[in-house]
Amino acid sequence: MLGQIGEHARPAEAHEPDPDTATGSTPGTTPGTVHVVGLGPGPDRWLTPEVAELLGRVDHVVGYAPYVDRVPQREGLTRHASGNTVEVERGRLALDLAARGDEVAVVSGGDAGVFGMASAVFEAVENAVADDPHYAQVPVQVYPGVSAAQAAAALVGAPLGADFAIMSLSDRLKPWQVVADRLRAAASVDLVIALYNPRSLSRPEQLFAARDVLLEVKDPSTVVVVARDVGRAEQSATVTTLGEFDPATVDMKCLVIIGSSSTRVSPTGHVWTPRYVE
Amino acid sequence: MLGQIGEHARPAEAHEPDPDTATGSTPGTTPGTVHVVGLGPGPDRWLTPEVAELLGRVDHVVGYAPYVDRVPQREGLTRHASGNTVEVERGRLALDLAARGDEVAVVSGGDAGVFGMASAVFEAVENAVADDPHYAQVPVQVYPGVSAAQAAAALVGAPLGADFAIMSLSDRLKPWQVVADRLRAAASVDLVIALYNPRSLSRPEQLFAARDVLLEVKDPSTVVVVARDVGRAEQSATVTTLGEFDPATVDMKCLVIIGSSSTRVSPTGHVWTPRYVE
């Protein structure tokens, strides 16, 4: 057994910081906590009370600008907005602020643990501790939230009602071959597949390639959902089939769900996947 | 294209009920809505404001007794608690109550769309419409919530920080061979795997079989998390390896997460999976 974790994970070493060698923390200061939170996929109606309470008392909010903007300004709060694709730098900033003794919230849209900031914060911790072991004493706590995949699923019905996979289609952080192999494997055992980052201006072709991989395995009649702007006033969902699915209609604001062989449209117009496999 | 869904899914047919043939609805009555909600994995701090508001105004709450018990009694509310494994009957009851014109909440723990009641409600809709087409006019709406897998992940860090699969290990609704094939496929492409229903008194051996399937593909050093009673005061998590993992320590109160090859323990004692694949 590697370890036992109680109320929440604690630093591996609990000894006092050594003021002579601490570079990542202010000497003699008890570090604050890095709280890694998800705001849900848009409206406050999906923000958990736990996270709402936390955002009302932290000293700093750190995150991608559109998410930081969702946290109202108030006295005593400093908001640190950054651009996209600088997740690890953002995590390091949060660690540095907490090491000074401040309480810091790192914010993501959706759930921080599902293609949000949680993994990037631990990447930052690993890098920071390599620079200075005292960073291991900065407490980190992750809070669950509602993910975009869940909100998209609820919008149309219950497409994730059986076994499913959640994948990012982006090859920014992994080779395309890994993406393709994972799609093929998930499709071959009839998992429902929810695709994050399905298509962007810099990656216009991959969703076409993904569709072709899926069509090697799955029937063209497989139900496909394209959910757009989930949680926003203008949210919508298009229900189509894999054979008729046109990836050109998809952009960064979309989440794509590929059904299993049993995913169907109900008499009420909802998309759902039966719990059972016959 | 099969359809387009806006704010939420609407009945496929919008014509008025025919009072002479309606058996599923009270003649001349405008049906209420079946609201399918998740309460989150335990405490109210994970209950979304959307669902909290809804539970304050519905006429009926329908669900498995421990979840119904979490909705406080108040004037004007009728609570319908049922046993486990009668999900579709429960969905039909909700449809019948809504067909009479009442507002009905069907409650699950966690997220209704992830091994919760959402899929069972659409199964009930399909059956009911086969009996009486008018059931298609009862509006159904699903609301997203925090799932047990997300809460378990947050408790230990960010194990679901990359591509992952969520599966039920139970063979109550699908053949064991399907479960085994899905485990093998997910493991073969290095997806993180979260297992619902990992073990029960009536299915004591399957988690052993699952471990053996996984060890055919994965290294014995693969990180495994057993989260127990997530969201309750007594919640805990044990971090071990696939080689040392003892399924006998797992029961119905547990959720098991099997890491990818890169899932690791951070210097802060958290379990996390890097976003990147090298």
Side-chain angles (χ1 to χ4, degrees):
Chain A
M1 189 174 83
L2 296 177
Q4 186 92 31
I5 295 172
E7 173 64 19
H8 60 83
R10 279 176 287 268
E13 298 173 61
H15 61 77
E16 287 295 302
D18 176 349
D20 294 334
T21 57
T23 59
S25 58
T26 307
T29 304
T30 303
T33 295
V34 174
H35 307 272
V36 189
V37 310
L39 302 176
D44 285 350
R45 67 181 187 272
W46 292 334
L47 179 68
T48 64
E50 177 179 62
V51 171
E53 184 274 327
L54 181 82
L55 293 174
R57 64 176 167 84
V58 292
D59 303 303
H60 302 271
V61 170
V62 173
Y64 178 42
Y67 305 133
V68 169
D69 286 346
R70 285 174 51 195
V71 181
Q73 186 53 283
R74 60 171 165 77
E75 203 178 315
L77 176 69
T78 306
R79 301 190 298 178
H80 306 260
S82 48
N84 207 349
T85 76
V86 292
E87 294 90 349
V88 181
E89 294 87 329
R90 211 182 280 150
R92 179 64 173 258
L93 170 63
L95 284 171
D96 283 330
L97 292 167
R100 290 186 348 204
D102 287 352
E103 296 294 313
V104 184
V106 177
V107 296
S108 295
D111 179 32
V114 178
F115 303 118
M117 278 295 298
S119 184
V121 165
F122 292 113
E123 192 176 332
V125 168
E126 198 168 88
N127 295 343
V129 171
D131 295 342
D132 178 348
H134 291 87
Y135 277 107
Q137 291 158 24
V138 177
V140 178
Q141 186 169 356
V142 182
Y143 300 72
V146 173
S147 72
Q150 291 167 300
L155 175 65
V156 299
L160 306 181
D163 299 336
F164 63 94
I166 294 195
M167 297 178 45
S168 169
L169 207 66
S170 171
D171 65 349
R172 187 166 73 85
L173 296 166
K174 64 195 171 210
W176 171 254
Q177 193 57 50
V178 170
V179 179
D181 288 348
R182 288 177 175 178
L183 285 172
R184 193 176 289 108
S188 70
V189 290
D190 211 22
L191 297 175
V192 179
I193 305 171
L195 295 177
Y196 278 66
N197 308 314
R199 191 160 179 264
S200 69
L201 290 175
S202 62
R203 298 182 294 102
E205 296 306 321
Q206 292 173 350
L207 190 56
F208 289 90
R211 183 192 58 182
D212 293 346
V213 167
L214 293 169
L215 277 169
E216 290 171 21
V217 183
K218 296 175 84 77
D219 195 272
S221 68
T222 303
V223 174
V224 171
V225 174
V226 179
R228 176 183 289 276
D229 288 317
V230 170
R232 303 173 70 100
E234 63 271 30
Q235 72 179 0
S236 68
T238 302
V239 183
T240 184
T241 63
L242 191 57
E244 299 199 348
F245 172 48
D246 180 5
T249 63
V250 173
D251 61 30
M252 278 293 282
K253 295 174 165 183
C254 296
L255 191 139
V256 176
I257 299 176
I258 315 289
S260 74
S261 61
S262 66
T263 303
R264 61 187 83 178
V265 179
S266 81
T268 51
H270 296 82
V271 178
W272 68 290
T273 304
R275 305 167 301 154
Y276 51 83
V277 175
E278 276 159 8
Chain B
M1 189 174 82
L2 295 178
Q4 185 92 30
I5 296 172
E7 174 63 19
H8 59 83
R10 278 176 287 269
E13 298 173 60
H15 64 77
E16 287 296 301
D18 176 349
D20 293 336
T21 57
T23 59
S25 57
T26 308
T29 303
T30 303
T33 295
V34 175
H35 307 272
V36 190
V37 310
L39 302 178
D44 285 350
R45 67 179 187 271
W46 294 333
L47 179 68
T48 65
E50 178 178 61
V51 171
E53 183 275 328
L54 181 82
L55 293 173
R57 63 177 168 85
V58 293
D59 304 302
H60 302 271
V61 169
V62 174
Y64 178 42
Y67 306 133
V68 169
D69 286 346
R70 285 175 49 194
V71 182
Q73 185 56 280
R74 60 172 164 77
E75 203 177 315
L77 176 69
T78 307
R79 301 189 298 178
H80 307 260
S82 47
N84 207 349
T85 76
V86 292
E87 295 90 347
V88 180
E89 294 87 328
R90 210 182 281 149
R92 179 63 171 261
L93 170 63
L95 284 170
D96 283 331
L97 292 167
R100 290 184 351 201
D102 286 352
E103 296 293 315
V104 185
V106 177
V107 296
S108 295
D111 180 33
V114 178
F115 303 116
M117 278 295 297
S119 184
V121 166
F122 292 112
E123 192 176 333
V125 167
E126 199 167 87
N127 295 344
V129 170
D131 294 343
D132 178 347
H134 291 87
Y135 277 107
Q137 292 158 22
V138 177
V140 179
Q141 186 170 354
V142 183
Y143 299 73
V146 172
S147 72
Q150 292 167 298
L155 175 65
V156 298
L160 306 180
D163 300 337
F164 63 94
I166 295 196
M167 298 179 45
S168 169
L169 206 66
S170 171
D171 67 348
R172 187 166 72 86
L173 297 166
K174 64 195 171 211
W176 171 253
Q177 193 58 50
V178 170
V179 179
D181 289 347
R182 288 178 175 178
L183 285 172
R184 194 176 288 109
S188 71
V189 290
D190 212 21
L191 296 175
V192 179
I193 304 170
L195 295 177
Y196 278 66
N197 308 314
R199 190 159 180 264
S200 70
L201 288 176
S202 62
R203 299 181 293 101
E205 296 304 323
Q206 292 173 350
L207 190 57
F208 289 90
R211 183 193 58 183
D212 293 346
V213 167
L214 293 169
L215 277 170
E216 290 170 22
V217 183
K218 297 175 84 77
D219 195 272
S221 67
T222 302
V223 174
V224 172
V225 174
V226 179
R228 177 183 289 275
D229 289 316
V230 170
R232 302 174 70 100
E234 62 271 31
Q235 71 179 0
S236 66
T238 302
V239 183
T240 183
T241 63
L242 191 56
E244 298 200 348
F245 171 49
D246 180 5
T249 63
V250 173
D251 61 30
M252 280 292 281
K253 295 175 166 184
C254 296
L255 191 139
V256 175
I257 300 176
I258 314 289
S260 73
S261 62
S262 65
T263 302
R264 62 186 82 179
V265 179
S266 80
T268 52
H270 296 84
V271 178
W272 68 290
T273 304
R275 306 167 301 153
Y276 51 82
V277 176
E278 278 159 6

